Amino acid sequence: MSNMKISSFEEYHQVYKHSIEQPEEFWAGIADNFQWRKKWDNVLSWNFKEPNIKWFEGAKLNITENCLDRHLETLGDTPAIIWEPNDPTENHRVLTYKQLHDKVCQFANVLKNNGVQKGDRICIYMPMLPELAIAVLACARIGAIHSVVFGGFSAQSIADRIKDAECKVVITADGGFRGTKDLPLKSVIDDALVQCPSVKRVIVLTRSRTPVSMIKGRDVWWEDEIKKVETQGNPECPAEEMDAEDMLFILYTSGSTGKPKGVVHTCGGYMVYAGYTFANTFQYNPGDVYFCTADIGWITGHSYIVYGPLSQGATTLIFEGIPTYPDAGRFWDIVEKYKVNILYTAPTAIRSLMSFGLDPLKDKDLSSIKVLGSVGEPINEEAWHWFDDHIGYNKAPIVDTWWQTENGGHMITPIAGITPTKPGYATLPLPGIQPVLVDENGKEIEGNGVSGNLCIKFPWPGILRTTYGDHERCRLTYFATYENMYFTGDGCLRDDDGYYRITGRVDDVLNVSGHRIGTAEVENAINMHSSVVESAVVGYPHDIKGQGVYAFVVSPNQHGGDAELNKKDIIMTVQRIIGPIAKPDKIQFVSGLPKTRSGKIMRRILRKIAEGDTANLGDTSTLLDPSVVDEIKAGAL
Ligand code: WT7
């Protein structure tokens, strides 16, 4: 396993060169560090035109044998998962590799007893509990395709995802705890399932013991099903033999148009990429305690709480709660309690904790920390330095990891302690990754001290293979903008040292607290409200969230004439349609939107107004009605 780790900056350069010159030889060498039932016939075949990308074709494996079985002999009694509850007075839990293996096998048998077969899609909507990781791994064990939906999505969003993937089973919990909030998960699922005839079974874990409806013939309790497996007396569940290119999971993510897409990752390539990047970026050493604060409902949790760490025999910490509960010292309590060595979090969390000052850090011993990581959005220099000074004591390298749901794992990032860092920079590509900057015409911009749109010109094992049920959408979104390149949607600069700095999305996608939100999606939700004629959503700089959601709304006939109440109604509508994570931070009622004569909304102008930069709005002469701009400017929030 450790053969994959780069140990010096010189070695990084050598390995990088080799990975570009001989990509197949390079990745075959990395893949040799994993356990295959049968090795591949062909390392890579690809074109970005269709696209059609296959890694390790002909190989057979099961990712759970790599994450569990292969560690049993050497690491059987080593903690695989440490779980810290939302409420610090509740007992924590530790699952060794042996225990996790047994629980995954048991629950895989539960799935089988409930009719789940290889290739079936399973929706998972659960709080951050070990059972969430167990459910994910149990699916992978038997070749079922998981689609984890983050607990902050509404019934409608869940229904859309379940219908798109035609899920047969839902795995959920009665409820969950996050900070002071109780999440009524089963009740949200019940609302979603009104629209979802494909779902034949709902498996409900007991967590909050809030009252729930259990529908005869459809809903079963997790614990009862486990008991049945126990009385059947066979705790083992042999792993299904999967083709490298069989689907492992679907994860929905937002884009610039329409409904979220189901990003598809496959077994072999994803495993290799998640494992390789975990081992290298964080320089994980045996015995280290690793804490990633993301939710398993996002790709970060898939790759860097579950699959990456477990494939490397790491100890991964799962935290149920939030950084500010019961107070803003919670992360530091956890670091101290478990002597966390590697902490991987998001700029929004850092900025939020910064805003509480240094008091919550008093008397907290963070000396165990060796490596810090950041993910989800560009990290501003102030947050970077605060993290470095107060959490890493200036001795823990910060890895600012740039990547996307579609990438499966880290793409451009420092390697901890090896790549010299620079605040705000994701620095250099990992081996095998070939970033290019292109201009609007798709022409590659060479040399240093330049900026452009970020593309990748060669496949890596973790690249998405398709978007579920709609391959054309995958082609159009990622492979059609620039010929023979994967387009990331991000702007980027490459400085004089060849270091990369991501400057943010260049499409109509917002990044709110590290969550990707499509402006079109939010507009669609706002437009569902009965009094709304039309709307336009843009981002604006937000101190904590990075970007906030600013909505310009045309709503001439408001109920009761109370604008504030009508704003609340609109927010409630968005919450119902998408979920609380997409709620607008600001709503400005306007009499019309700035449009060109052809009817296109001029978002550039709205963005400037939302940013408070109204001095220079550029050319407005092409507008159908330039006077609306003055009105909008005057009413800006
Ligand atoms: C988008 C991907 C990948 C896990 C979390 C988000 C932005 C992500 C960074 C970073 C600057 C970043 C990009 C990217 N992003 N990490 N270190 N520096 N920007 O996953 O929801 O797929 O969003 O997040 O804009 O395109 P995601």
Side-chain angles (χ1 to χ4, degrees):
M1 270 174 284
S2 51
N3 288 348
M4 305 191 297
K5 269 165 67 184
I6 289 166
S7 55
S8 69
F9 201 38
E10 297 76 65
E11 191 188 346
Y12 161 76
H13 288 295
Q14 283 161 14
V15 171
Y16 186 78
K17 188 160 177 283
H18 174 227
S19 77
I20 302 306
E21 289 169 357
Q22 305 285 340
E24 298 195 20
E25 190 182 281
F26 168 73
W27 284 114
I30 299 302
D32 276 333
N33 293 282
F34 294 79
Q35 187 178 306
W36 305 85
R37 294 263 187 106
K38 172 185 173 288
K39 291 245 173 129
W40 47 91
D41 303 316
N42 190 21
V43 178
L44 168 67
S45 64
W46 70 287
N47 73 70
F48 277 173
K49 207 172 168 59
E50 298 174 60
N52 188 357
I53 305 151
K54 294 196 171 87
W55 281 95
F56 311 115
E57 233 181 319
K60 306 275 187 195
L61 76 152
N62 186 291
I63 194 169
T64 69
E65 288 185 335
N66 283 269
C67 289
L68 301 169
D69 304 62
R70 72 162 164 164
H71 305 313
L72 292 181
E73 212 168 294
T74 46
L75 300 170
D77 298 324
T78 299
I81 291 176
I82 298 173
W83 175 75
E84 168 72 9
N86 181 58
D87 175 352
T89 64
E90 189 183 336
N91 287 337
H92 73 274
R93 291 166 61 190
V94 177
L95 294 176
T96 64
Y97 270 94
K98 171 92 184 55
Q99 290 165 330
L100 181 61
H101 170 268
D102 292 352
K103 286 195 179 288
V104 168
C105 285
Q106 246 187 352
F107 193 67
N109 284 328
V110 166
L111 293 176
K112 281 200 214 164
N113 280 346
N114 283 278
V116 179
Q117 294 172 348
K118 178 177 177 177
D120 287 343
R121 276 81 56 212
I122 312 295
C123 174
I124 303 178
Y125 187 67
M126 290 177 80
M128 285 285 284
L129 301 172
E131 281 71 17
L132 169 49
I134 290 167
V136 161
L137 292 163
C139 288
R141 186 81 175 169
I142 61 171
I145 298 160
H146 55 77
S147 165
V148 183
V149 178
F150 173 64
F153 280 113
S154 68
Q156 185 59 50
S157 293
I158 299 166
D160 290 341
R161 287 158 173 74
I162 289 177
K163 283 187 283 188
D164 187 71
E166 295 176 279
C167 293
K168 183 162 155 188
V169 170
V170 174
I171 307 170
T172 189
D174 47 3
F177 305 118
R178 262 174 72 83
T180 56
K181 289 203 188 89
D182 291 346
L183 310 175
L185 299 173
K186 173 60 164 64
S187 156
V188 175
I189 288 293
D190 287 335
D191 288 344
L193 293 192
V194 172
Q195 303 181 39
C196 302
S198 65
V199 173
K200 305 297 178 219
R201 187 69 82 233
V202 181
I203 303 175
V204 187
L205 178 82
T206 306
R207 171 61 183 136
S208 61
R209 209 49 201 100
T210 183
V212 291
S213 76
M214 293 293 284
I215 305 298
K216 192 182 293 166
R218 188 192 73 182
D219 302 351
V220 296
W221 289 106
W222 174 300
E223 298 77 14
D224 295 349
E225 296 302 298
I226 292 286
K227 278 204 195 95
K228 283 187 205 161
V229 169
E230 277 168 356
T231 54
Q232 284 163 357
N234 181 16
E236 272 295 312
C237 174
E240 186 77 31
E241 187 166 283
M242 306 296 284
D243 283 329
E245 282 297 336
D246 279 342
M247 259 184 227
L248 175 64
F249 66 83
I250 305 170
L251 186 58
Y252 285 84
T253 190
S254 296
S256 50
T257 52
K259 290 214 182 288
K261 312 174 271 286
V263 169
V264 169
H265 286 287
T266 57
C267 296
Y270 174 81
M271 169 182 78
V272 168
Y273 202 65
Y276 176 70
T277 52
F278 173 78
N280 268 294
T281 301
F282 299 116
Q283 292 286 300
Y284 185 87
N285 286 313
D288 284 347
V289 175
Y290 163 85
F291 176 20
C292 168
T293 70
D295 193 287
I296 293 176
W298 308 111
I299 191 68
T300 306
H302 282 59
S303 300
Y304 299 113
I305 295 179
V306 182
Y307 289 117
L310 295 178
S311 77
Q312 301 308 300
T315 297
T316 180
L317 199 154
I318 297 180
F319 173 41
E320 185 183 28
I322 56 171
T324 50
Y325 180 80
D327 59 54
R330 188 64 192 278
F331 276 2
W332 324 129
D333 290 335
I334 295 173
V335 167
E336 193 174 277
K337 180 168 172 188
Y338 302 105
K339 302 203 167 33
V340 169
N341 304 110
I342 304 169
L343 175 69
Y344 190 29
T345 191
T348 186
I350 298 169
R351 286 191 301 263
S352 153
L353 295 174
M354 269 170 76
S355 74
F356 291 86
L358 295 177
D359 250 21
L361 279 159
K362 259 221 305 275
D363 305 322
K364 303 286 158 79
D365 177 6
L366 308 182
S367 59
S368 58
I369 287 182
K370 295 191 293 191
V371 173
L372 295 172
S374 168
V375 63
E377 56 178 308
I379 180 166
N380 50 306
E381 289 197 26
E382 198 192 351
W384 196 99
H385 283 296
W386 190 87
F387 206 31
D388 188 36
D389 294 345
H390 300 293
I391 310 304
Y393 304 154
N394 303 112
K395 64 173 179 53
I398 297 176
V399 292
D400 176 359
T401 62
W402 173 82
W403 60 297
Q404 313 174 292
T405 304
E406 295 85 346
N407 306 154
H410 302 151
M411 298 286 282
I412 303 181
T413 177
I415 296 175
I418 289 174
T419 312
T421 58
K422 236 186 238 190
Y425 282 76
T427 73
L428 297 172
L430 285 177
I433 304 308
Q434 303 190 35
V436 284
L437 302 182
V438 298
D439 66 19
E440 307 85 81
N441 305 316
K443 207 174 147 326
E444 184 168 345
I445 305 167
E446 296 186 52
N448 289 341
V450 293
S451 56
N453 289 346
L454 178 61
C455 292
I456 316 289
K457 69 174 178 193
F458 195 85
W460 61 100
I463 189 172
L464 87 162
R465 301 301 194 268
T466 189
T467 47
Y468 192 81
D470 192 351
H471 193 64
E472 178 60 5
R473 189 152 176 220
C474 172
R475 187 186 71 81
L476 280 174
T477 312
Y478 307 106
F479 300 95
T481 318
Y482 304 110
E483 206 181 324
N484 282 322
M485 289 191 227
Y486 165 85
F487 177 43
T488 65
D490 280 318
C492 181
L493 73 81
R494 186 168 51 220
D495 76 0
D496 293 332
D497 298 328
Y499 267 37
Y500 290 86
R501 177 187 184 117
I502 311 300
T503 48
R505 302 289 303 198
V506 295
D507 50 9
D508 289 321
V509 170
L510 307 183
N511 189 326
V512 179
S513 302
H515 301 147
R516 199 198 293 193
I517 295 174
T519 53
E521 224 182 314
V522 183
E523 287 163 8
N524 289 342
I526 292 174
N527 297 349
M528 301 272 288
H529 187 264
S530 61
S531 80
V532 172
V533 175
E534 62 175 341
S535 62
V537 166
V538 298
Y540 71 95
H542 187 288
D543 284 349
I544 306 278
K545 299 182 181 186
Q547 272 187 310
V549 178
Y550 195 125
F552 297 90
V553 179
V554 181
S555 169
N557 301 308
Q558 293 181 357
H559 179 66
D562 182 333
E564 284 314 307
L565 263 177
N566 275 276
K567 283 184 189 177
K568 287 185 183 148
D569 290 344
I570 290 171
I571 289 171
M572 187 55 87
T573 309
V574 174
Q575 185 162 333
R576 280 264 183 247
I577 303 293
I578 306 177
I581 58 169
K583 286 194 293 196
D585 298 281
K586 293 183 179 181
I587 295 177
Q588 181 183 349
F589 290 120
V590 296
S591 65
L593 297 170
K595 287 186 184 171
T596 61
R597 287 192 182 86
S598 61
K600 215 174 144 290
I601 297 171
M602 301 256 307
R603 292 169 174 284
R604 176 180 55 81
I605 293 176
L606 294 176
R607 247 179 254 129
K608 287 231 165 189
I609 295 175
E611 283 165 13
D613 175 18
T614 50
N616 180 17
L617 291 181
D619 183 13
T620 56
S621 64
T622 56
L623 287 177
L624 188 62
D625 175 11
S627 72
V628 296
V629 173
D630 294 324
E631 178 216 302
I632 297 175
K633 253 171 35 182
L637 302 169

